[in-house]
Amino acid sequence: METSRRDFIRLAGLTSLGIMGNKLMASPAALTFDNRSVPTGNMCGYAAPKLDVVRVGFIGVGNRGASAVYRIDHIQGVEINAICDIRRNYAEKSANGVKGSKKPAIYADKEEAWKELCDRNDIDLIYICTPWDLHTKIALYAMKAGKHVAIEVPAATTVDECWALVETSEKYQKHCMMLENCCYDFFELMTLNMARQGMFGEIIHGEGAYIHDLLNENFAKNSYYDMWRLKENFKNGNLYPTHGLGPICQIMDINRGDKMEYLTSMSSKDFSMGPMAKSLAAKDAFYEPFAKHSYRGNMNVTTIKTHQGRTIVLEHDVSSPRPYSRIHQISGTKGVAQKWPEPERIAFGHDWLSHEEMKRLEEQYRPEIVQKVGEMAKKIGGHGGMDMMMDWRLIDCLRNGLPLDQDVYDAALWSVIAPLSEKSVKNRSNSIDVPDFTRGKWKTNLKMELTLNGGGTTSFK
């Protein structure tokens, strides 16, 4: 029953979302899936063999990748052995910044130079920071080549890609982690710890968002290689759901005691991107192809219902002149937590706690990972330190043979909201079923470990 339902979801996604128009699926040779219907292993709680030294290869060192190389290079027990970017100067700049006498090998100039990097026998982990439409293609190839993968968000852009990640990770027993850094935000981690200890009671509702004015950046010629991010905005839905969603799912134990049932999604009209494309095209012929396209609406609101009766609201707006906000709100039967707008706030009744009371909570419910590496993570950087904590935790888990905090089912589920939201928007906001990538294992999967039990042994250079 589950297999036929999955196949139906795949076919529905292919038809309604127009996958054949996607760059990644442009030709039959672009991406191939093995015919597998029976999972060969549960990747939730899966612990791979220990790696005393984690040998890393980076693919894509533009806006996000270059900073990832810098951060990973600060962690003991890591060797950066190879770096790939289609632009040789980007790859060389990152490689030259790596400490030590041995410089990473460089792969560049060719569209699929990354395959040569994945085929090396001195790589354990492939760290992927390319444009979105390459994430799944590279991850599948890397796992089949015997490598663990860590993928920038979103991990996939279609329903079919999400299933392919799950099935390949299971078959080859390789970790597939989406690099959702917001799960390592200091406040999000504190509220997760508080929720685990029952401070908010039964969790009822969560809200998350990605509100970030990227209008000018998306249209700038030098911001994103080949204008890839602007092209993603031809789709109409919540294109970037995972920053707000990831921390909420961990607090609600989604895939580990609860699951998503269905969603509905609605978008406003596009008031900004189309007009800007036309305005720029009137002055510069470079933008004329972009003026012929329609763009997603400024604001998308997606609502999700879970099996246990909880609700989630996600917002997405990257083209309106608004202050940055991710929104992190958790509401339970005993209390509520909220961030964005700042400052962080918590209440157990009608009034928010005072500054002094908040400080006491921060001391009492600071998770072990923050106590151990929080200050160093802030010094090294990456969105206030959460990027560094994410990277450190990934490496420490691999070195100690521990399960990862985010597994392939999380990567698939959090990413699939984007194509499902597009489908709902196209169908007058009708509800869309959300696939169960765990195939029922959510009922018995254990919660993610919030301690450093068995790990915490990795230091910094």
Side-chain angles (χ1 to χ4, degrees):
M1 182 66 70
E2 274 295 281
T3 300
S4 59
R5 182 173 182 270
R6 184 194 70 187
D7 291 339
F8 171 79
I9 291 169
R10 282 181 170 181
L11 291 172
L14 284 166
T15 302
S16 63
L17 300 183
I19 276 182
M20 295 311 291
N22 183 291
K23 179 181 176 182
L24 187 57
M25 304 295 290
S27 67
L31 187 63
T32 57
F33 304 136
D34 291 346
N35 293 320
R36 297 180 301 274
S37 59
V38 180
T40 56
N42 187 0
M43 299 307 291
C44 182
Y46 170 73
K50 294 181 181 180
L51 297 168
D52 290 334
V53 176
V54 181
R55 303 168 298 176
V56 186
F58 285 87
I59 301 175
V61 285
N63 295 331
R64 288 289 290 161
S67 57
V69 172
Y70 171 80
R71 295 190 308 270
I72 292 285
D73 195 34
H74 280 80
I75 303 174
Q76 290 282 10
V78 171
E79 289 179 2
I80 299 176
N81 286 344
I83 293 176
C84 175
D85 197 288
I86 193 170
R87 302 158 296 186
R88 178 169 291 275
N89 59 322
Y90 278 70
E92 289 177 344
K93 183 177 180 181
S94 284
N96 290 336
V98 173
K99 303 181 184 71
S101 57
K102 180 183 176 183
K103 294 301 178 185
I106 292 174
Y107 296 86
D109 305 322
K110 298 184 296 184
E111 286 284 348
E112 294 192 334
W114 52 267
K115 287 185 176 180
E116 299 173 39
L117 184 151
C118 292
D119 289 336
R120 290 176 63 109
N121 59 14
D122 62 347
I123 300 288
D124 304 302
L125 171 68
I126 302 293
Y127 201 112
I128 304 168
C129 300
T130 63
W132 300 347
D133 66 349
L134 291 173
H135 285 182
T136 299
K137 184 177 182 179
I138 295 172
L140 296 180
Y141 188 94
M143 285 189 282
K144 291 175 183 179
K147 314 301 192 288
H148 299 300
V149 296
I151 320 170
E152 263 298 342
V153 300
T157 60
T158 71
V159 178
D160 205 41
E161 287 181 359
C162 290
W163 276 115
L165 288 175
V166 168
E167 294 170 350
T168 304
S169 177
E170 288 175 340
K171 178 175 181 179
Y172 293 93
Q173 295 287 280
K174 293 300 174 183
H175 287 302
C176 179
M177 173 184 170
M178 184 169 67
L179 295 160
E180 185 38 77
N181 56 343
C182 295
C183 290
Y184 296 88
D185 178 274
F186 291 77
F187 186 68
E188 273 87 327
L189 280 171
M190 185 182 84
T191 55
L192 173 60
N193 193 21
M194 292 177 67
R196 288 287 175 82
Q197 299 189 44
M199 290 298 293
F200 301 119
E202 289 286 338
I203 303 301
I204 302 167
H205 176 73
E207 297 185 18
Y210 188 68
I211 309 295
H212 192 183
D213 185 5
L214 296 173
L215 184 63
N216 291 326
E217 190 171 353
N218 277 337
F219 279 97
K221 295 178 181 178
N222 298 318
S223 289
Y224 300 101
Y225 175 73
D226 194 31
M227 307 296 285
W228 70 263
R229 192 154 184 173
L230 179 60
K231 295 173 184 176
E232 290 288 345
N233 286 273
F234 298 160
K235 305 170 185 175
N236 193 9
N238 187 328
L239 308 184
Y240 205 61
T242 71
H243 281 342
L245 183 60
I248 293 171
C249 285
Q250 290 187 335
I251 288 173
M252 291 186 176
D253 296 321
I254 302 296
N255 287 337
R256 298 166 178 80
D258 199 356
K259 69 164 184 168
M260 296 182 191
E261 291 280 5
Y262 60 89
L263 64 76
T264 64
S265 189
M266 179 181 292
S267 290
S268 73
K269 173 187 171 183
D270 167 33
F271 291 88
S272 302
M273 300 197 78
M276 174 165 275
K278 290 179 175 62
S279 175
L280 291 171
K283 306 169 189 175
D284 187 343
F286 174 83
Y287 291 100
E288 288 179 0
F290 297 102
K292 298 174 183 177
H293 282 275
S294 59
Y295 293 84
R296 49 147 197 83
N298 285 55
M299 171 60 77
N300 175 275
V301 179
T302 299
T303 57
I304 303 168
K305 186 73 174 289
T306 79
H307 181 79
Q308 302 290 3
R310 302 181 176 100
T311 51
I312 302 171
V313 174
L314 302 175
E315 295 183 359
H316 176 272
D317 185 346
V318 293
S319 54
S320 302
R322 298 177 55 182
Y324 177 88
S325 174
R326 288 202 310 272
I327 302 179
H328 175 66
Q329 185 185 106
I330 293 295
S331 177
T333 56
K334 293 182 180 179
V336 62
Q338 179 177 304
K339 181 180 179 180
W340 307 106
E342 294 183 291
E344 299 95 339
R345 295 177 287 179
I346 291 174
F348 299 108
H350 290 290
D351 300 313
W352 298 110
L353 298 182
S354 67
H355 177 74
E356 292 72 23
E357 291 171 313
M358 283 294 296
K359 284 295 182 184
R360 285 195 290 272
L361 283 180
E362 289 171 8
E363 289 293 328
Q364 184 176 356
Y365 293 100
R366 183 178 293 125
E368 192 175 346
I369 186 174
V370 176
Q371 295 177 35
K372 185 171 183 66
V373 301
E375 289 307 311
M376 180 60 73
K378 289 179 182 178
K379 291 178 182 177
I380 298 172
H383 291 95
M386 63 185 186
D387 294 5
M388 188 66 245
M389 276 203 295
M390 172 185 69
D391 290 335
W392 176 86
R393 175 64 172 165
L394 167 61
I395 297 300
D396 190 62
C397 286
L398 292 175
R399 294 187 68 239
N400 287 285
L402 298 175
L404 304 187
D405 297 336
Q406 301 172 42
D407 57 41
V408 69
Y409 308 112
D410 299 320
L413 181 63
W414 303 352
S415 297
V416 84
I417 300 306
L420 296 184
S421 71
E422 293 174 54
K423 183 178 180 182
S424 181
V425 168
K426 286 181 179 179
N427 288 277
R428 293 176 58 86
S429 303
N430 284 330
S431 64
I432 306 294
D433 286 348
V434 179
D436 173 18
F437 293 104
T438 74
R439 304 178 193 81
K441 295 190 289 288
W442 63 271
K443 298 174 185 177
T444 54
N445 283 340
L446 299 178
K447 297 178 182 181
M448 61 161 280
E449 182 69 65
L450 192 56
T451 73
L452 298 180
N453 289 342
T457 60
T458 302
S459 59
F460 295 92
K461 295 176 183 176

